[in-house]
């Protein structure tokens, strides 16, 4: 049976990215060696890094003066590495979910942190509003997590603030165009819209580096990795390779404007059905709804149908639609590689299940 | 033409590990999803982590009271994470090569570091000797890098010291039995004897954690990862999977005693030829010779044959035998997956090349 992968991350990747990666693992560029066992210094691997950097620059329209680096350790490591490099005196953070809250916790090791907005008291059912005018002018940066995977909220627009931004875009990067010039840094774990798990992408504004008043261990200093082109130490070769394949796929499929359009189409189909179907309701305020992670639960009077619907959907090939334990119900994550076919299959399952009751 | 992979890292892996990984990338356990796109919380992935932990425990005969964790970021990140967790007041380090020196540099951010022995002045052509009796009794640990990939030196024995050890075993772990009870911690980047690049293995003694007098960012504290079974954040799923496959292969092939025996056989064949052949000489003092990285250069009177021999060997399928720029000449890295067939092919190439002159 055909499977539809709604996993929240690691998550769906285009089939051709998967097949090309498997092929290179069996024989890298006809070298007779596996992609798993080539040196990162091999002459055939540097072009993989270079093409990945070039594709990020092209797809995100990254202006001059920014560097793109690829590190291990995940976005969670960035929760400390970002303030270690950029927090000079104080920084503003928006508390929009569990991961944003974790970022706040780590930043406090490095300086004063002002939580300028939070939706924690509402179990993060909306993206905090109205904070753009409340950012103190003297903070080093405003940190936001643009999409909250667990809760299904997103702030899918350019913020109008008078300080530089830093964003954790782990779960919506590469799904829409962004104005990189507004940011001191953007970071993202790869395992949603970029690649398999195991590589983290960080875009940094070069002339903002080296200003923080602390001695940094070598691996913590972004300049180490900028200077060495992500080769200070052995990079995660295979995850970087599949990243390049995925960026190629994204470019071939129209880049970020087309990705944005497809994200809107997928989400609209699902939210329309959630709002129409008598069995289900969304968990998030309408203007905070994420296009990436679409969360919904049973309406109260049908609460006992939660497990049966999960089984019903699973029987039809849906994978990963169980909601996060903090929210319950269901979560359909619709990253770049999710097709309308997959979305329509889920919508049809919701309709057919409704017809039984 | 058959290729023989002498890369220093990332490096040779058993063909069945490569093929099984490629197969799971196309379809993970018959799920219809790729290993690249399954959730790390999927019920089929936890067993991969559990089996990897169990195989490390079994193969290395790890006693009770130790935890095994899998992180991203490489051994270079451990150069800071080790002292962050274990350096209370002062630590002793052996400076046996460039990577050991980097570990020393990072440790100085966290406390007093005593360099008790060094072979830097001799361009690391031997493993520092006689330091075991010179370790101050009041250090928190003695740090060693057991194998120096660049220079081809190794200390392949249990040290007789009266303080706990911490070892970077990135390039010789899983090639011989070790007495883990002597260590506070052992760490290793995976890309030599464990897996593809992208995961780092750390073995820590549980009751030594939490003693360092500093507040650690969450990701830096080993307890975070011990408590969450390496799942505090998304782990590198694919590198962990190929690690499990490689550990299975190692067990099936006789475990660490057999690996040690094979390492001795490979190295003996190569060093014997290096010492016999009029064209070549070893670069390392005899009692420091590594079984993992076998470094040699042309004898002075044949210096002009360096490039021709490299071409000759390459034509016969040898890959990665060019020496590191710090040493020059040649380096044949012989990790667990290197066969005697590969070694014999290189030896034969050396003999046949000699016959031409």
């Amino acid at each position: 049976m055909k499977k539809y992968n709604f996993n929240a991350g690691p998550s769906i990747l285009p089939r051709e990215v998967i097949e090309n990666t498997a092929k290179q693992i069996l024989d890298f560029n006809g070298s007779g060696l596996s992609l798993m066992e080539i040196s990162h210094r091999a002459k055939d691997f540097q072009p993989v890094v270079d093409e990945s950097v070039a594709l990020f620059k092209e797809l995100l329209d990254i202006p001059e003066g920014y560097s793109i680096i690829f590190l291990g350790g995940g976005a969670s490591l960035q929760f400390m590495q970002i303030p270690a490099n950029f927090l000079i005196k104080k920084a503003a953070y928006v508390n929009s979910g569990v991961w944003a809250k974790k970022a706040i916790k780590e930043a406090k090791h490095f300086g004063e942190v002002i939580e300028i907005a939070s939706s924690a008291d509402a179990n993060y059912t909306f993206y905090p509003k109205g904070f753009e005018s409340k950012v103190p002018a003297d903070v080093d940066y405003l940190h936001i997590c643009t999409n909250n995977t667990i809760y299904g909220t997103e702030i899918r627009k350019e913020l109008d603030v008078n300080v530089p931004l830093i964003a954790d875009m782990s779960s919506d990067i590469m799904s829409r165009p962004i104005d990189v010039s507004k940011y001191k840094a953007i970071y993202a774990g790869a395992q949603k819209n970029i690649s398999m798990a195991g590589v983290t992408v960080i875009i940094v504004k070069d002339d903002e580096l080296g200003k923080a008043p602390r001695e940094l261990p070598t691996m913590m200093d972004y300049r180490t990795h900028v200077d060495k082109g992500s080769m200070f130490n052995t990079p995660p070769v295979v995850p970087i390779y599949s990243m390049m394949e995925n960026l190629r796929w994204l470019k071939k499929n129209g880049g970020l404007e087309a990705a944005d359009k497809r994200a809107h189409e997928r989400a609209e189909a699902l939210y329309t059905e959630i709002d129409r179907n008598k069995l289900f309701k969304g968990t998030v305020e309408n203007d905070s709804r994420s296009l990436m992670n679409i969360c919904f639960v049973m309406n109260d009077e049908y609460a006992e149908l939660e497990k049966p619907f999960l089984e019903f959907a699973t029987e039809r090939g849906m994978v990963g639609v169980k909601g996060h334990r903090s929210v319950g119900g269901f979560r359909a994550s619709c990253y770049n590689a999710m097709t309308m076919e997959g979305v329509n299959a889920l919508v049809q399952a919701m309709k057919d299940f409704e017809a039984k009751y």
Side-chain angles (χ1 to χ4, degrees), chain A residues 187-234:
Chain A
Y187 62 98
Q191 64 270 15
K192 281 85 152 66
N193 268 328
I194 296 176
S195 184
M196 64 172 75
V199 60
T200 306
V201 177
I202 305 115
I203 302 166
V204 290
K205 192 169 185 181
D206 297 326
D207 64 10
E208 297 292 344
L209 297 175
K211 292 185 178 174
R214 60 186 65 88
E215 254 187 70
L216 291 175
T218 308
M219 282 290 282
M220 279 299 106
D221 192 330
Y222 290 125
R223 290 174 297 180
T224 301
H225 307 290
V226 169
D227 292 348
K228 296 287 186 182
S230 301
M231 294 275 199
F232 172 72
N233 65 330
T234 309

Side-chain angles (χ1 to χ4, degrees), chain A residues 68-115:
Chain A
I68 299 120
I69 53 178
F70 309 130
L71 303 180
S76 292
L77 190 62
Q78 298 308 308
F79 295 163
M80 71 173 281
Q81 197 161 358
I82 285 286
N85 282 269
F86 294 113
L87 209 171
I88 297 168
K89 208 162 160 205
K90 64 180 171 181
Y93 276 68
V94 175
N95 181 1
S96 60
V98 157
W99 297 98
K101 195 176 159 193
K102 288 183 183 188
I104 291 168
K105 182 182 171 205
E106 303 312 317
K108 287 180 178 168
H109 287 283
F110 300 92
E112 188 185 344
V113 175
I114 306 167
E115 187 179 299

Side-chain angles (χ1 to χ4, degrees), chain A residues 6 270 291-296 320-321 330-334 346:
Chain A
F6 290 98
L270 270 166
L291 303 193
M292 299 288 109
N293 312 97
I294 290 146
C295 295
F296 55 106
V321 291
F330 313 101
R331 174 175 53 180
S333 295
C334 294
L346 178 55

Side-chain angles (χ1 to χ4, degrees), chain A residues 5-46:
Chain A
N5 184 356
F6 290 98
N7 275 326
S11 45
I12 189 167
L13 290 167
R15 192 65 203 171
E16 69 182 76
V17 171
I18 291 163
E19 287 176 358
N20 288 348
T21 303
K23 194 176 152 208
Q24 301 291 340
I25 281 180
L26 291 172
D27 184 5
F28 180 59
N29 285 358
S31 66
L33 301 188
S34 166
L35 176 62
M36 289 166 58
E37 51 175 9
I38 57 155
S39 171
H40 58 297
R41 307 283 182 197
K43 69 173 178 357
D44 273 12
F45 185 65
Q46 187 61 50

Side-chain angles (χ1 to χ4, degrees), chain A residues 46-227:
Chain A
Q46 187 61 50
V48 173
V49 174
D50 293 344
E51 184 174 340
S52 299
V53 168
L55 283 166
F56 272 114
K57 283 189 178 170
E58 180 183 345
L59 290 164
L60 279 166
D61 195 17
I62 299 174
E64 286 297 303
Y66 285 81
S67 295
I68 299 120
I69 53 178
F70 309 130
L71 303 180
S76 292
L77 190 62
Q78 298 308 308
F79 295 163
M80 71 173 281
Q81 197 161 358
I82 285 286
N85 282 269
F86 294 113
L87 209 171
I88 297 168
K89 208 162 160 205
K90 64 180 171 181
Y93 276 68
V94 175
N95 181 1
S96 60
V98 157
W99 297 98
K101 195 176 159 193
K102 288 183 183 188
I104 291 168
K105 182 182 171 205
E106 303 312 317
K108 287 180 178 168
H109 287 283
F110 300 92
E112 188 185 344
V113 175
I114 306 167
E115 187 179 299
I116 59 158
S118 173
S119 50
D121 289 345
N123 196 30
Y124 300 117
T125 47
F126 60 88
Y127 204 101
K129 291 180 228 336
F131 60 82
E132 288 163 85
S133 59
K134 288 194 286 181
V135 187
D138 62 344
V139 295
D140 300 314
Y141 59 83
L142 169 66
H143 181 281
I144 51 170
C145 176
T146 49
N147 184 77
N148 300 285
T149 322
I150 293 177
Y151 307 96
T153 66
E154 187 176 16
I155 187 154
R156 203 176 174 85
K157 62 168 188 178
E158 295 301 341
L159 291 184
D160 183 22
V161 289
N162 55 354
V163 300
L165 292 164
I166 292 183
D168 174 0
M169 294 195 177
S170 291
S171 52
D172 66 352
I173 195 167
M174 310 314 278
S175 78
R176 64 176 167 108
I178 48 177
D179 181 356
V180 174
S181 72
K182 288 176 175 279
Y183 296 83
K184 273 191 183 177
I186 293 168
Y187 62 98
Q191 64 270 15
K192 281 85 152 66
N193 268 328
I194 296 176
S195 184
M196 64 172 75
V199 60
T200 306
V201 177
I202 305 115
I203 302 166
V204 290
K205 192 169 185 181
D206 297 326
D207 64 10
E208 297 292 344
L209 297 175
K211 292 185 178 174
R214 60 186 65 88
E215 254 187 70
L216 291 175
T218 308
M219 282 290 282
M220 279 299 106
D221 192 330
Y222 290 125
R223 290 174 297 180
T224 301
H225 307 290
V226 169
D227 292 348

Side-chain angles (χ1 to χ4, degrees), chain A residues 316-328:
Chain A
R316 292 190 169 202
M318 314 297 147
V319 178
V321 291
K322 191 175 187 331
H324 189 276
R325 64 187 177 282
S326 317
V327 179

